[in-house]
Each structure stands twice: as structure tokens, then as C-alpha cells.
Amino acid sequence: MEGRNPNIDTRHSKTVTLPRLNRLRPSLESTALKIMEESGELAQAIGKFRGLNGEQLRVEEAEAMQMVAQELVDVAQTAVTMMFVLEEQYGIDIEEILEEHVRKLKMKGYCD
């Protein structure tokens, strides 16, 4: 597949690189609210596909999953934006936090 690193096994790992949104001035609070909004849109996309809203399903599965994936990326972008806020406004070392997170996952046996 063009553009993909053949040395990375994407079946066991996913690397996401998203930009710092430099035309916004997000705060911790505005970003937290945006994460909730985007999470709601993700839940809505999943719920529509599953027919949880009471409507008859009008979207094919492939189209619905495309919508779910797009909403998921919106959630990820907003989470990355909050990471920038934490680093820039509060001096949090996100790399250290990520390393701790992966260690915790390994310790719990969730991954190798």
C-alpha cells in the first residue's frame, strides 16, 4: 500500500499523527466540551447504524462505518488538541504520560 511504512505491523499498532490547530485558541474547558460534542456525534453515528434511535436503517453498513470512522477521527483530533493545551498551558509532559499509559496496558496484559 502506497504511503504506508512496511516496517510497522498495523494489525498490532496504530500511529496517528494529527496537527496542532494553530488558528484556534482552545482552553482546557472548551476542548473538554468539544470532546463531549464529538463523542456524542460518534455515538449518534453508531446508534443510527444500529437503529437505536427508533428509525428504520436507511444507511448501508459500509457508509455507516465510514461515518463512524470520520466521527472517531474528529474525537481523536480534539483529544490531540487537548494534549497540546495540557503541554502548552500547563507544562504536562504528554510523552511521559503516553509511556506510562503503554506500560500500564502491558502490565495489565492488554498488549505486548
Side-chain angles (χ1 to χ4, degrees):
M1 291 182 213
E2 189 174 317
R4 300 221 174 164
N5 185 335
N7 298 320
I8 296 175
D9 182 358
T10 58
R11 294 172 299 167
H12 301 288
S13 175
K14 203 58 76 198
T15 300
V16 178
T17 302
L18 295 167
R20 178 182 182 278
L21 304 180
N22 59 9
R23 294 191 178 145
L24 298 175
R25 296 202 187 281
S27 68
L28 189 66
E29 296 79 10
S30 69
T31 309
L33 290 171
K34 188 69 173 171
I35 286 173
M36 289 182 253
E37 175 193 333
E38 296 298 349
S39 296
E41 291 174 9
L42 174 60
Q44 183 180 26
I46 293 169
K48 265 192 179 269
F49 170 64
R50 300 286 184 220
L52 299 178
N53 59 359
E55 295 178 8
Q56 292 289 354
L57 183 64
R58 296 178 194 187
V59 179
E60 294 296 320
E61 182 176 6
E63 183 182 351
M65 290 302 104
Q66 189 71 24
M67 290 167 46
V68 167
Q70 290 168 343
E71 295 300 341
L72 180 61
V73 170
D74 286 347
V75 171
Q77 177 65 64
T78 309
V80 166
T81 296
M82 184 175 267
M83 290 179 192
F84 280 112
V85 168
L86 289 168
E87 286 177 331
E88 294 167 4
Q89 296 178 21
Y90 298 93
I92 300 299
D93 185 343
I94 292 296
E95 291 301 318
E96 181 182 317
I97 300 293
L98 290 171
E99 289 170 8
E100 288 174 19
H101 178 72
V102 171
R103 277 195 301 274
K104 177 181 74 175
L105 294 176
K106 289 178 178 179
M107 192 173 74
K108 290 184 174 189
Y110 295 154
C111 63
D112 297 328

